[in-house]
Amino acid sequence: GGSDCLTYVRNLDESQSDLDEISGHQDGITAVAASPKGDRFATASEDRTVRLYGYPSLEFDQILTRFSLPVRALAFNASGTILAAAGDDATIKLVNVVTGSV
């Protein structure tokens, strides 16, 4: 991700060097986390949101949570069902990525 509000994804299993671009955030990308199974990934942004995408489809799934300030860090638990998101508002939110509940 970058300050251009885009997330760039490369399939490491293919020999192609092309990057796929994903839009959706309204401000710069600050963090990206992949699930342990590799079937989804999350992005965090200065726009105070966390977005979930499927992989390898790259399809947008849902906005998982909103913060009052930018989100800076993301991490999945070992089973890939819970995503921890930390923001500049000094909070850490645990989100169930299956149900979307915080």
Side-chain angles (χ1 to χ4, degrees), residues 30-74:
T30 56
V32 177
S35 68
K37 294 179 184 175
D39 60 340
R40 62 182 71 177
F41 65 95
T43 59
S45 174
E46 294 272 348
D47 70 6
R48 306 180 312 272
T49 65
V50 175
R51 293 174 172 262
L52 185 67
Y53 298 88
Y55 186 82
S57 69
L58 308 182
E59 289 184 21
F60 171 72
D61 186 8
Q62 61 184 311
I63 295 177
L64 293 175
T65 190
R66 297 179 190 274
F67 282 73
S68 59
L69 291 171
V71 185
R72 298 293 175 189
L74 297 171

Side-chain angles (χ1 to χ4, degrees), residues 73-85:
L74 297 171
F76 280 94
N77 70 343
S79 67
T81 58
I82 304 294
L83 178 71

